[in-house]
Structure formats: structure tokens, C-alpha cells
Amino acid sequence: MDVDKRIQSLRDRLTYISDIFADREDESVRLLTAKFGELLERHASRPGGATREELIRMEDLFDFSERKLDTTLTPMDRVRIVRHPQRICLKDILENVYDNYTEIGGRGEYNIDPSMLIARAVFSRRVGEKVINQMVMVIGQEKGHGESFRNGGSVKPWGNAKALHYMKVAETENIPVHTFVFTPGAYPVEDWPGAAQQIARNLYELAALRVPVISVFSEGGSGGAEAVGLADRRIMLSHGYYSVISPEGAAAIEGGLKLGVRATPELIEKCARQLCITATDNLNNGYIDRVLQEPPLGARPYHYDFFRELRRELVQATNETVSGVKPMKLFRAMAVRDSKSDDAESIFMRWTLSPTSLKRLVEARQRKYRAMSRHARMDGTGIVSRAVAAAKGSIWATHSFVRYDLLGRQKKRLDAMFEELGAEAHLVRRKLLMPLKKGVDRILPGNSMEQVRAGEEVKERLTRLSCPEDGACITGSEWAWISPRSQEDRTISCPNVRTHHCPDLWVPDLFGDFAGVCPSCGHHFPMEYRWYLENVFDYKMSKEFNQQLESVNPLGYEKFDLKLDKAKEKTGLKSACITFETAIEDVAATVAVLCAPFRGGSVGAAEGEKFIRAAERAGRKRQPFIAYVHGTAGIRIQEGVNGVIQMPRCTIAVRRYIDAGGLYLVLYDTNSYAGPVASFLGCSPYQFAVQSSNIGFAGPGVIVETTGMPVSPDYHRAYHALQRGHIHGIWDRREVKKNLHQSLLTMGGRNLYYR
Amino acid sequence: MLNIKELLDKVKASPYREIVVCAPHTGVVEFAGLKQGDKVRGPGGDYKEKPGTLLAHLTREKNRKPIMAPEKGNVEVIHTRHEGQFVEAGEPLLTIKHYLTRKEVIELILQEALYLFRAPERAKYYFVPEVDQKLKVSGKRSVKVHEGMEFLIVSRMKRETPLAYSGPEGIIYSVYFGRGDNVDEGEPLIGVCPEDQLTVIQDVVARIQSEWEEEA
């Protein structure tokens, strides 16, 4: 029986090896197959079966070959390793790493989302004489060993919502969170609460979650990984990958493939190499803190030594995080830093933190992310201007502090007091004088008529929100900027002609007077970002900043330099993000624009940095912060993790800004998809869309590819996004300025001093 | 009485429908290079999001618009004399010969053979409870309707009024509306079959189901 078991385990190892090196001819694999075949034959023919010695020899050969093969692993092999059903999954870790655990809200497939697993787990440790139980909240994607109902670890929005819920529970209970990232990416359904918007919400909360968060990366695919991966310490398993997109996805985009056509293995292999997705790459780029070495060819459930290592690593990482912010640590902190072996277990550190330590912890986390991806962009600003900008920044901060906090707060308090007093006085006066006034009115009836009329006018002004008859559609040449497309002498058909029977439109009318809006059905034709810059944001009068931040090719992605140069030449921009300060009807505001013509408005390191700086500037100057998204295709895949890390970075910046009491307003135009929507845009409490825009987590092609379900052509329309609760309003292009002004006056937090 | 056999023969003799594709508006025609006998397909996909085969382009005021095939079929006639010419609206450009599908034939025969009771106004329609019950329990063809029988409820803006049947006496053979659907004015609601013809019609439908060969 024992022999059979061992043979079975060898057979499993062989299948594993041949699966990993599927399309590669390798001497070792062939040798192993042959030798194992011989062993099986002997085992079958001989009455006693294979002998002990033979088995030991065979196992040694397997060990040796695995070690040898491990040195030849390519990035794509690693991708195959993490996707293999034999790879360890979260359940294995819970069983073997923690001493006890209770799964919460799930039992196999009976779960709101089986691919998201939540558990209360315990480390039981013996320190001196005592046994100490330390609780943690374990949150992570569960792939299972090839169980289909878990969607391969692709979490649906409600799964992420559940994760968020339990992060908050951990926050109330003041226990650390251990997250495990085992996902190829989130499941792209657009139901409520929205794939993108839920990830954005998770990131937003994680950005200031007041408990230590440790995350372990095995398979980190883009947005799905970020939903639970924003952590104080990020440990990565040596055979895992962390990437902005799957190599297949990258190959499909690179090859410009249509739906249903598969990319060639060579192209996929090349993309995997170029995306720099391995643990070593990520460590070198500074996106993870440690790499945990796995056994040769990756950890499988029977590698018990590995689980012990992982346990040690988790305890140590939590200790380190906690000790970093504790007020009283003495030389335990030193011991924690130095411990290399199993010592981590013996150092005891209470994982519950005081409110001040938690504050420090959150600040440390935010600082850590702020410092990332410096190498992945180019800052062409000279030293002098940089120094000037820094000096100016501190002057603004001081100025704002003195003017708005020191003096302004007192003034506000006084104002509020006078307002209250005034209201009281008004009431008293009214009570006293009303009878008198009535008497007077009775004697002189002509007086009252006039008053009523004035009152009505005021009432109308107060209750009227928008009035199209006041000239929403400006006629003639009243637009400050008119699209050059209006010069063409031709007509164009509205895409809604089938349903709305719109007549053909003469282009000069459409793009000139009508601002690209079909007068018959209200369809918004895509408009250049310049139109908004000039007609809404008054770009000519505005002050642009950080112009010199430039997108580069940090990973040396093949031919990407050329593409970037072409985009820079075409648009005259250095990155897809334009940031400037402007005034909207006399309200000073900071604006960040993501413009589609520059590589689809995709977000890379330069764009992220500009966005963050804009948010910081808005915070320092106590201005509202408007993100106008002319269009975004998502995260720039050619920058690899340098791009995807902008999701947590920008979200943290936005979170800091909102927490400081500002107004963060997002306006979507044309098409906005993926990463940015799933992070720093989607987390805004005020998101609006221009009519006829499309908003979503994944485009229709990706949805069909990953879920196999075709979606209706109008799936991503703004109205559907509104219906699903993703956005909070839809605006007409011609009324954007008016609506923006209205929002500036009515929305936002305590730090807006123009009101 | 309707001669169903004759009708069927007529369909069999020419199992095609000819679709004339006309110019929807004025413009200069540019054919897409189809030849006589070429196969074209209609819009496809779950949401009809994939357009049919491109037949021609029509350019008016520098606005070049495609004309797509509305149905599957073969190109019967192409008026190539219009190539590059200015045509007026309604000018026939192509004729597509559409081979009738099984469903279409059945529908055709039923439309001819049954008495169609049409919706008098745009509203939602429900059967009265007794009829509904009977239809649910014993299936269609179990309900007999006669002139003046109140068998439907017209529901519009929460106002529900009974509707009486008018037409020849017979059995409800097919129901053309779904629960809760809005039915436009003039759309058929039910198809009524005289009792004596029921077997004949059923027979014909069964024959079409088994015999009619669908074109791939």
C-alpha cells in the first residue's frame, strides 16, 4: 500500500513537471518520463512490486531533476506554475500555517462568492511558560485545486465587498489582517456594487485602514490583486507572479488580435518576459518587500517545510510592522529586525496597537506608497524650479494654515455664531412685529402685492436647477474653442438613426454650434479634450504645472519607446495627464485631465505622479480637485507593475485629500475602463459622466474572453452605469460648466473656503 | 374553408421570399463587389450586434453610409447600372432571394389559415382568470372562443377593462403575446382555428416540421 502511494505521488510530480514544461523539449523531463515508465513496468511485472531501494533512488532522481529544472524556469513557466491545480491554495495555507481557523461566511460553494475566502485564524505560540494565542483576520482569494465554482480565484464584486466588510471588522477588533493574493484578475461582471467600483472602494478603505496589513502574493493579476493587496508589508512567493495583465492578455493587445483568435505561444512567452512579472523583478522595482523562497518548481501541498517558512515569515512581517510603530519596543525591535531563523516565533509582540500607533502605521503605509515608482518616469524639471516648487508648496501650506485654519476657523466660528443669532433675532422680530405689520397691511393693502412678487422671483431662483431655455446650446461662435473637425464640408449620421430616426447632421453645425451633440436624440459624439479645456476649464487663463513629468519606458519594453515618441509628437504632451489650476466661475480649482489621444489615456508612472501631485497641491491650497477623464483605456500595460502600482498610490493621495476635507469630483467622458476606474477614479463620492460615455471595468471583448458570456452592445453605457450605481449623474456636454459650478458650490467637505 | 393543401403547394413551388433592397435616401451608389448568386447573411449575434453582409455604400454629402443585408439569402439581381451613379430614394439596388425557414413557413401558413384576433390598442393583455387557468392546466387548444365572449383583460395605466372576442368561433391555436409584454395596436394577440380544421392544421404543421429542409 505504501509503495502504491509513493508511486502515485511520483506520478503526480511527473504530471506536474510535464504540465509546467508543456511545450518545451527538455532532456531531464524526457529522462524522468522514461525512468518512471521503466519503474512502473517493473512494478507491474514483478510479484512483490518495486523495491524500497528503487523507490528511494527514483525519488532522489526526481528531487535532483526538479532542482535542475528550477534553474531553467522562464517567466511563463512561473505563470503555469501558479495556475496549476497542484499549487498550494489558501485552504492549504490555513490548514498548515495557522494553528486554528474558522472560515467565515462560506462552506465550499455555499458562499456569497466562493473565490473570496475569509477566516479568523490563530497563531498559538509558546513564549516562555505561557501559550499565547494571537488572532488575525485572513482574507484572500481561494483558487482551490481546480474547483470550477471558485472561478479560478476571480472574485466577483460582492466577494470584494465581503472582503472589505471583514477588513473593517478586523479594524474594530484591532487585529492584524493577513491577505493572500491568489487571483488572475477580478471577475468582470458589472452588477451592483460594480466590479471596478468595488475594487476602488476596497483600495480607498485600505489606504487608511487602521490595522497592520500583511499581504502574500502568489498570483497577482492587476485589479483583483490590488483589491486586497495594499499592505504595510508585501511578501511574494518566489515562484509567483505579479503583473498588470496576464501574458496572454498582453499578447492579444500587442498582436492586435480580434476576438476568438489566439496569440502564438512565442508572443505570449515574449510578453511574459517583457512585463517583468517575477518576484525578483518586483523586488528590484521596490513593489514588494521580501521574496519567500519556495521549494524547487514551486510549493505544493506536501511541502511542509515551506509552510513552516511561510509561518515564520508571516509572524516576522507582522512583528516588524507592529514594532515599527510601537512607542515601547526596547530591544525587541532590534531582535525582530535581526531574526533570521525560527526566532521570530519566540519574540512576542502584542499585535493590538494603540490609536496613536495606528495613526503612525497608516501614515507609514501612505509614505511608503508615495515613494514608489520614482524610477519609472522622467522628471525634466530643473533643480532650481524643483526647489522653487518645493518652497512654494510649503509657503502655500503655511499660508493656507494661517489663513484658513488659524484665522479662518475663528472667523467661521464667529460667522456661524452671528448666523445663529441672526436667525434667532429674525424669529423674535417676526413674532413681535408680525401682528403689527398685519395691522399696517390691512390699512394700506397696496404694500403686500409687491413683496409677494419679489418673493416669488427669489423662490424661483432658489428652486430652479437648470433651465435649458436660458441658452444651454449656445448659438453662433460663442464657444471659446471650436473643434477643427467643424471645418469639413460634409454630413455625418447619428449612430442612433435606427431607433431615433435622426436626420443626417452637417458637420460644421454639429461640431461648431451643437458642441457635438445630436439635436434630435442627444447623442454625444466624441469631442476633443481641448474643447473641455477651453470651454469648461478656461485653459488659457489657467496655470499648468508639472509639465515636465514625462512618460518613459521603464521596463525597456520592445518598440515602446517609438510608440511613446509618436504619441508625444502627435499630441504635443509629455504624458496622458494634464494638471493645472483654473477658476470655474471665480471658484479656484485644481484640475487633472486624462486625455485619450495619448496612448488611450492609459495611466503609467508619470500620469500617476502628476495626479498625486495635483491632489497634494489641491490639498495644500484648499481647493476643490476635479478629475476630468476624457478617456482612459486603463493602466499602461507596457510599464508592467510600475503602472499597476499607481492604483494604490493615487488612491492613497485621493484618500488623504478627501480626509483633509476637500471636494474630489470625477467627470467621465467617452470611454473609461479598467484600472483607473477601479481605483482613484471609482473611489470618488461624486462621479459624473457626460452623456453617451461608456464606463466599465473590462471592455466587452475581455468579458467574452474571460467569462464566455457575450454582453449586449450597450452594456457599458453611462445610463447603465448610473442604473448599477457606479456613477451619480449624467450631464449634457453643453451644461458641464454650469453643473460643475453648481457641484462646487453644493458638494464637498470642510476644507473648501470659497463658500 | 381554406384549402391548406393548396397553400402549402404554393409555398413549396416557390419557397423563397424576395427582398428588394432599395436606396434609403438619395446618393451615389457604390456596390461592394457582390455577384449574382453570392450568399449574404443578415445581422447576427445574441443582440443582433453583428451587422449583415455589406451590400453597397451610399454617399450623400460626403457621408458614406453602408447598406447591409437585412436577411440571409442569395443575391438574385444587382442593378449594376447604378454603380457610381446618383440614385433617388426608393430606387431598387439589389434583390435578395431569401429561402424561407421552417419557422417562417409555419408562420406563413398559420397566418393564412387562422383567424387572427388583433390588439385594439397598445396595452398589456391578460387572459381572464378562468381562461388563464384552463390554458395553464390543459394547454392551448383547450379553450373555445365565440363571438362576444369576454376572454381578455386590457391593462393600461392600471386601468383594466375586459375585452370581448369578435370573429368566427373556434379554438385558441396560438398565443402571440407574453405575460406583461406591451402589445402594439394591430398586432395579433391570438390565432383562432375553427374546430373542424384543427386536425388539418396540426397535420400540416407536423409535416412542415419534419419535411421542410432548412438551408444551412
Side-chain angles (χ1 to χ4, degrees), chain A residues 220-468:
Chain A
S222 191
E226 294 306 328
V228 294
L230 200 167
D232 298 302
R233 293 238 136 210
R234 313 225 274 184
I235 304 165
M236 190 159 170
L237 307 185
S238 64
H239 286 61
Y241 80 88
Y242 176 28
S243 167
V244 58
I245 189 170
S246 69
E248 288 88 349
I253 293 174
E254 279 299 287
L257 298 178
K258 285 263 166 59
L259 198 65
V261 189
R262 297 245 159 223
T264 58
E266 292 78 44
L267 185 62
I268 295 174
E269 194 84 39
K270 198 171 99 186
C271 287
R273 215 168 38 248
Q274 288 190 324
L275 285 171
C276 292
I277 60 180
T278 62
T280 339
D281 293 328
N282 279 307
L283 185 68
N284 291 340
N285 280 334
Y287 299 135
I288 52 165
D289 300 294
R290 270 186 66 82
V291 175
L292 178 60
Q293 190 57 45
E294 289 181 52
L297 295 190
R300 275 151 281 163
Y302 55 84
H303 286 128
Y304 299 109
D305 285 347
F306 168 74
F307 287 122
R308 199 158 54 236
E309 273 296 292
L310 181 59
R311 178 187 166 102
R312 192 189 61 74
E313 196 67 45
L314 278 170
V315 171
Q316 173 152 0
T318 319
N319 277 345
E320 275 178 10
T321 312
V322 168
S323 83
V325 294
K326 264 209 158 164
M328 200 179 82
K329 48 207 166 185
L330 306 177
F331 55 75
R332 269 180 307 166
M334 213 161 67
V336 165
R337 268 200 304 278
D338 292 343
S339 66
K340 290 278 183 299
S341 58
D342 281 345
D343 285 357
E345 293 267 342
S346 65
I347 301 167
F348 172 65
M349 194 155 272
R350 272 175 68 87
W351 286 349
T352 44
L353 287 169
S354 65
T356 43
S357 309
L358 287 172
K359 209 171 149 210
R360 270 201 297 277
L361 175 83
V362 170
E363 265 163 24
R365 187 187 306 154
Q366 294 181 343
R367 260 202 313 280
K368 174 184 155 156
Y369 275 85
R370 180 70 182 86
M372 280 180 186
S373 83
R374 289 186 70 85
H375 63 280
R377 56 180 161 87
M378 200 157 82
D379 196 347
T381 328
I383 294 173
V384 179
S385 6
R386 230 179 286 183
V388 168
K392 264 191 193 162
S394 20
I395 292 170
W396 291 329
T398 335
H399 174 255
S400 301
F401 176 73
V402 172
R403 178 162 167 211
Y404 300 123
D405 286 353
L406 229 56
L407 304 176
R409 198 164 294 163
Q410 309 311 323
K411 187 180 173 292
K412 270 202 166 176
R413 213 170 283 164
L414 269 178
D415 283 350
M417 205 172 76
F418 277 116
E419 209 176 274
E420 295 280 321
L421 280 178
E424 290 285 334
H426 177 75
L427 199 68
V428 170
R429 206 168 51 222
R430 205 178 133 84
K431 275 263 193 282
L432 286 178
L433 298 185
M434 226 20 185
L436 202 68
K437 186 172 174 290
K438 268 191 189 146
V440 175
D441 280 351
R442 213 170 297 139
I443 303 160
L444 307 162
N447 271 359
S448 57
M449 290 299 283
E450 214 170 312
Q451 215 139 29
V452 167
R453 210 175 298 136
E456 249 168 22
E457 200 178 289
V458 170
K459 203 166 102 188
E460 213 207 317
R461 217 173 43 231
L462 284 173
T463 51
R464 190 174 55 176
L465 286 179
S466 74
C467 28

Side-chain angles (χ1 to χ4, degrees), chain A residues 103-172:
Chain A
E103 193 181 334
I104 293 171
R107 206 177 250 199
E109 60 187 299
Y110 301 101
N111 194 333
I112 187 165
D113 184 3
S115 49
M116 177 57 80
L117 195 145
I118 318 277
R120 274 294 301 257
V122 177
F123 280 118
S124 295
R125 290 156 59 193
R126 201 188 168 86
V127 179
E129 296 287 284
K130 277 194 293 187
V131 172
I132 291 164
N133 288 323
Q134 287 189 298
M135 320 280 182
V136 291
M137 185 70 81
V138 175
I139 295 173
Q141 289 102 6
E142 168 67 338
K143 296 186 85 169
H145 295 292
E147 292 150 356
S148 61
F149 56 83
R150 296 197 192 270
N151 278 323
S154 289
V155 184
K156 291 182 178 164
W158 35 93
N160 278 325
K162 182 173 118 177
L164 178 63
H165 178 101
Y166 282 98
M167 284 171 202
K168 295 208 155 182
V169 170
E171 192 178 35
T172 8

Side-chain angles (χ1 to χ4, degrees), chain B residues 114-132:
Chain B
L114 300 178
Y115 170 75
L116 297 178
F117 183 74
R118 294 178 186 276
E121 60 176 322
R122 184 180 158 80
K124 286 177 186 166
Y125 291 84
Y126 303 97
F127 286 108
V128 294
E130 305 88 74
V131 175
D132 198 37

Side-chain angles (χ1 to χ4, degrees), chain A residues 489-493 504 506 710-713, chain B residues 25 46-47 49 60-65 68:
Chain A
D489 173 28
R490 58 181 286 242
T491 61
I492 200 168
S493 314
D504 280 3
W506 194 46
V711 294
S712 64
Chain B
H25 53 72
D46 286 0
Y47 304 94
E49 77 275 18
R60 176 178 67 177
E61 291 178 38
K62 295 177 194 154
N63 186 7
R64 193 160 175 264
K65 283 191 275 190
M68 313 288 196

